[in-house]
Amino acid sequence: MNLTDIDYIHELLHRHGFRFSKSLGQNFLTAAWVPADIADSAGLDEQTGVLEVGPGVGCLTRELSQRAGKVVCVELDRALRPILAETLEGCGNVETVYGDVLKLNIPELVREKLPGLRPAVCANLPYNVTTPLITAFIEAGCFETVTVMIQREVARRICAGPGSADYGAFGIFVQWYMEAEILFDVPPSCFIPQPKVTSSVIRLSRRAGHPVQVKDEKLMFRIIRAAFNQRRKTLVNALSSQIGEISKEQAEGVLAKLGYDTRIRGEVLDVGGFAKIADEILDIINNVL
Ligand code: SAM
């Protein structure tokens, strides 16, 4: 059984009367090197318990099964149930859960299904829910690594640094918790149906601590979102219009005190710069109270 052979996949899907769903982001892999390289990149061993989202016909699942202690895969499309029963037969360390991963309590699922193992995520994600899924994996707080294939454009945003056009609030959020790297690209020709865009495999590895200290993390992320919501505005204008607690003069005062040009835009600041600004603004808020 070759789960990436295009003729085999067509025969299998046809035999089960399966139809691809665009809304579920169903683009299945048809190049054997891709699931093998994704699974190799995830740093798995017998002590690892893997969460895979969206096994499809199970090509990546089988690769994960050979490398990890256990694999739990969550599939929303129940039409894949008889197909996976066939393709994953004999993979004794794979358990399949049918449902919407976004509605599951992920830490509870990991505790229940992967006890005593080092939890990791490895998946070819459905592209329409990439951002909420990555957010959920980070917020679950239990994964050491998250190795996933996503759209190249989103991969670049996640891994971008200051000054780049791809740099933004979501990338800063991810990098607050995880080291992020792009591993390799995968062209549309490696899937059926072919997506319109190139994909990238990224690996996120949990940091021992946050990159910098900040007194009020929530306030810092409000400031970051304000800066990137209106990225064409100067930081002073973005802050004074969206952070209700401070005036334009106070925002200018904060930047001047920290030695920044008061005409800068948020996109030039690294997370350390945002943290310092958040600490100054917190002082202003506390002094008013
Ligand atoms: N792993 C397979 C591969 O690489 O060929 C399929 C990947 S395909 C890009 C995404 C898979 O995620 C599909 O099987 C789809 O049905 C499933 N899926 C989509 N949304 C989901 C959700 N919210 N929860 C669980 N699975 C989902």
Side-chain angles (χ1 to χ4, degrees):
M1 175 193 326
N2 178 352
L3 291 179
T4 50
D5 179 87
I6 202 157
D7 293 332
Y8 180 78
I9 299 175
H10 278 308
E11 184 278 320
L12 178 75
L13 298 183
H14 180 73
R15 186 154 42 81
H16 288 277
F18 178 85
R19 284 180 185 281
F20 285 100
S21 156
K22 206 172 173 182
S23 66
L24 292 181
Q26 290 178 338
N27 301 97
F28 295 170
L29 281 165
T30 57
W33 67 270
V34 183
D37 283 8
I38 296 175
D40 278 344
S41 308
L44 309 174
D45 59 33
E46 276 293 301
Q47 270 69 53
T48 322
V50 181
L51 170 66
E52 184 196 5
V53 172
V57 298
C59 64
L60 177 60
T61 321
R62 288 187 72 95
E63 297 288 339
L64 298 172
S65 157
Q66 286 164 20
R67 292 165 177 78
K70 183 173 175 188
V71 183
V72 171
C73 48
V74 181
E75 176 55 65
L76 178 53
D77 190 350
R78 284 183 167 75
L80 288 164
R81 194 176 197 138
I83 295 175
L84 286 166
E86 183 178 324
T87 58
L88 298 180
E89 205 191 346
C91 296
N93 64 348
V94 176
E95 184 173 351
T96 310
V97 173
Y98 290 92
D100 183 347
V101 74
L102 285 167
K103 293 188 179 147
L104 294 180
N105 180 327
I106 293 177
E108 206 174 282
L109 180 79
V110 167
R111 264 195 308 277
E112 195 185 305
K113 306 282 186 194
L114 302 170
L117 295 167
R118 205 173 61 243
V121 172
C122 188
N124 169 15
L125 293 182
Y127 290 175
N128 41 342
V129 283
T130 303
T131 309
L133 280 175
I134 290 179
T135 305
F137 300 146
I138 292 175
E139 287 179 345
C142 55
F143 299 111
E144 261 183 36
T145 57
V146 174
T147 309
V148 284
M149 181 150 64
I150 59 179
Q151 308 95 303
R152 180 168 64 180
E153 183 200 324
V154 182
R156 288 186 173 167
R157 270 193 258 141
I158 287 175
C159 299
S164 126
D166 295 318
Y167 186 52
F170 187 58
I172 300 178
F173 164 77
V174 173
Q175 292 177 43
W176 184 246
Y177 296 94
M178 318 289 281
E179 304 263 8
E181 55 186 324
I182 296 182
L183 302 179
F184 55 91
D185 287 347
V186 179
S189 58
C190 290
F191 302 83
I192 48 161
Q194 291 194 14
K196 289 201 175 67
V197 296
T198 296
S199 306
S200 297
V201 176
I202 60 163
R203 183 170 53 219
L204 310 176
S205 313
R206 190 160 286 278
R207 293 176 183 277
H210 296 309
V212 294
Q213 302 263 322
V214 67
K215 288 181 195 147
D216 184 335
E217 220 174 281
K218 270 199 180 145
L219 176 64
M220 180 182 75
F221 278 106
R222 273 179 67 205
I223 290 168
I224 291 169
R225 279 195 301 274
F228 290 100
N229 268 344
Q230 299 181 318
R231 44 190 315 151
R232 286 170 182 280
K233 281 197 176 181
T234 63
L235 186 58
V236 164
N237 283 336
L239 292 181
S240 53
S241 63
Q242 293 179 78
I243 306 292
E245 298 94 320
I246 58 159
S247 66
K248 186 169 178 183
E249 290 66 36
Q250 285 172 318
E252 276 168 352
V254 166
L255 293 194
K257 183 176 172 191
L258 293 171
Y260 293 119
D261 185 324
T262 52
R263 290 160 306 177
I264 59 162
R265 291 181 184 170
E267 62 200 20
V268 302
L269 291 176
D270 64 9
V271 70
F274 281 113
K276 283 189 206 146
I277 291 171
D279 284 352
E280 290 295 330
I281 292 180
L282 184 68
D283 283 349
I284 294 173
I285 296 172
N286 286 342
N287 283 338
V288 171
L289 294 177

